[in-house]
Amino acid sequence: MNNYLMGAFLFLAMSVRMLVSLGSYSGEGKEPMFGDYEAQRHWMEITYNLPAEDWYRNSSKNDLMYWGLDYPPLTAYHSLICGYVANWINPDWVKLNESRGFESYEHKLFMRYTVLVADILIYIPAVVVFCNTCLHSLDKLQQILEIGEAGICGLTHLCCMLGTFLNQQRQHAAGAKQAVSIQQGFV
């Protein structure tokens, strides 16, 4: 595949991911579970603070009913690496049983950057290797379509962010409608 075309696709993929990461996330500020963002943060907390044999066991230090680690060990080790980086930047982010629901702008950026870094180090090289080894016999249009298929994973990011945005707009509109009806009641 043409290196310029591949570079353009990679730039576009990373640009979309970065733009999507500017929005809010599902569960933001909503106790008691705080959404998937909190699940990812909590997994860093658990893997960083507990020995591997306790990651999947219910205990006083690991309440499996509160975002228990339910992904395979490879994902847990990814959370562990991110947990070490998080602790190095700000230990409050991964304090065992004290950081539940932790939300800050800096931490949100950290969480989003861990996704971008994983994409750059693992996902995108895998797509490039796949294209260079498995798609070399296809014509250019078919290669573009295959790369587009790989990009569908990125749609998950976009759909989650769009859903959160639309939900916020719906809530804002409902609040505005309620305010208007209250004002009309005073007239």
Side-chain angles (χ1 to χ4, degrees):
M1 171 171 258
N2 181 323
N3 287 337
Y4 293 113
L5 187 58
M6 180 68 75
F9 275 114
L10 295 177
F11 177 76
L12 179 63
M14 294 312 295
S15 297
V16 167
R17 283 169 169 73
M18 291 178 77
L19 287 173
V20 167
S21 75
L22 297 175
S24 63
Y25 48 89
S26 65
E28 184 173 12
K30 294 182 181 173
E31 295 184 34
M33 299 295 274
F34 299 98
D36 290 340
Y37 169 92
E38 171 61 8
Q40 299 294 323
R41 190 218 54 79
H42 182 67
W43 294 346
M44 289 181 205
E45 171 191 340
I46 293 301
T47 56
Y48 177 77
N49 288 291
L50 298 177
E53 59 268 10
D54 291 339
W55 291 351
Y56 298 95
R57 289 190 194 143
N58 197 40
S59 70
S60 61
K61 293 181 180 180
N62 186 15
D63 178 8
L64 294 181
M65 296 305 292
Y66 184 82
W67 294 118
L69 187 55
D70 58 358
Y71 280 18
L74 184 59
T75 302
Y77 283 107
H78 176 258
S79 293
L80 176 63
I81 292 167
C82 293
Y84 273 102
V85 176
N87 187 69
W88 180 71
I89 295 171
N90 185 344
D92 289 341
W93 294 352
V94 290
K95 277 189 181 172
L96 187 62
N97 296 326
E98 292 182 28
S99 58
R100 280 193 180 183
F102 185 93
E103 296 177 320
S104 73
Y105 179 74
E106 293 78 16
H107 188 256
K108 180 176 99 167
L109 287 179
F110 168 76
M111 295 288 283
R112 301 285 169 85
Y113 290 150
T114 62
V115 173
L116 292 174
V117 169
D119 281 353
I120 291 168
L121 295 178
I122 299 168
Y123 178 70
I124 290 175
V127 170
V128 170
V129 168
F130 173 76
C131 290
N132 288 334
T133 58
C134 299
L135 301 182
H136 60 13
S137 64
L138 301 177
D139 64 32
K140 297 295 180 210
L141 178 60
Q142 287 176 313
Q143 288 180 1
I144 290 169
L145 292 174
E146 290 294 330
I147 291 171
E149 291 258 344
I152 288 178
C153 291
L155 287 178
T156 302
H157 297 296
L158 186 58
C159 289
C160 290
M161 295 301 148
L162 181 60
T164 300
F165 172 76
L166 292 175
N167 188 41
Q168 289 172 342
Q169 296 308 310
R170 182 183 56 77
Q171 290 173 348
H172 178 70
K177 184 177 178 182
Q178 184 178 12
V180 167
S181 66
I182 290 171
Q183 287 175 346
Q184 288 173 344
F186 288 115
V187 175

